[in-house]
Amino acid sequence: MKRLSSLGASFRQGQSAGTLFKHPVLLISGLLPGALFAEPEVTGRIALEPRATSSLEEDPLVVPVVADGAGKARIGRGLDNDIVLPFGSVSRYHAVVSVEGAEFLISDVGSTNGSFLNGKQLCAHERNALEDDAFLMLGDVEMTFMLARTFVRKLLMK
């Protein structure tokens, strides 16, 4: 998990960024109250650790979306999710990104504060196509879903 600016510099210098260029990513942006990001000791999971207020508008945090063996990546506040977002507006189990063939889908799993895809609230347990460069909100947390090729193109433009 890195900031976009540091990945862009590494990429332009020919350094590998590992799984970030093989999987779609979530670019987490906006102002998150009480959130500066670090990588806590959560084995096999991606987690954000609350610290101080952080503005990610110009330099978003990059989180790879790596599905498990069943083709799903669970997102929520609980530490047993694949992507952990420890913010009060995010439910313990908030949403699931799944892969079916070449298509990515997102489902809200009955969260308290809802999930939004391109400004439209998702119905609980309904699967929705997740298009490249889609804007998501899980509770108050803003993010953009990007396929690997779009993400690499964005890095090259930085």
Side-chain angles (χ1 to χ4, degrees):
M1 178 173 30
K2 296 187 181 226
R3 292 285 182 111
L4 183 62
S5 60
S6 65
L7 281 172
S10 297
F11 186 73
R12 285 188 296 279
Q13 293 169 6
Q15 298 171 3
S16 171
T19 62
L20 289 176
F21 299 129
K22 298 176 188 169
H23 299 282
V25 297
L26 292 174
L27 298 181
I28 299 175
S29 60
L31 185 66
L32 299 172
L36 181 64
F37 301 102
E39 293 186 65
E41 300 292 324
V42 181
T43 308
R45 307 268 184 237
I46 295 169
L48 309 181
E49 181 177 281
R51 292 251 177 104
T53 299
S54 176
S55 178
L56 299 171
E57 206 57 45
E58 295 297 316
D59 194 14
L61 188 74
V62 179
V63 179
V65 179
V66 181
D68 63 13
K72 297 180 182 198
R74 296 180 307 149
I75 305 170
R77 196 176 64 236
L79 291 177
D80 55 342
N81 286 290
D82 299 304
I83 299 172
V84 179
L85 301 173
F87 305 104
S89 67
V90 177
S91 293
R92 186 167 178 220
Y93 302 106
H94 201 104
V96 172
V97 174
S98 55
V99 184
E100 289 187 9
E103 185 176 32
F104 291 90
L105 304 166
I106 187 163
S107 304
D108 182 288
V109 295
S111 67
T112 301
N113 292 315
S115 300
F116 296 81
L117 174 60
N118 295 323
K120 180 182 173 231
Q121 187 165 10
L122 304 180
C123 295
H125 306 288
E126 185 176 290
R127 296 174 345 156
N128 299 269
L130 194 51
E131 301 294 329
D132 190 19
D133 215 18
F135 177 74
L136 294 168
M137 278 188 65
L138 303 182
D140 293 336
V141 180
E142 299 176 358
M143 58 193 80
T144 303
F145 174 83
M146 283 188 189
L147 296 175
R149 66 178 175 267
T150 303
F151 176 63
V152 169
R153 203 169 31 248
K154 184 174 183 81
L155 280 179
L156 290 172
M157 293 179 358
K158 282 267 176 201

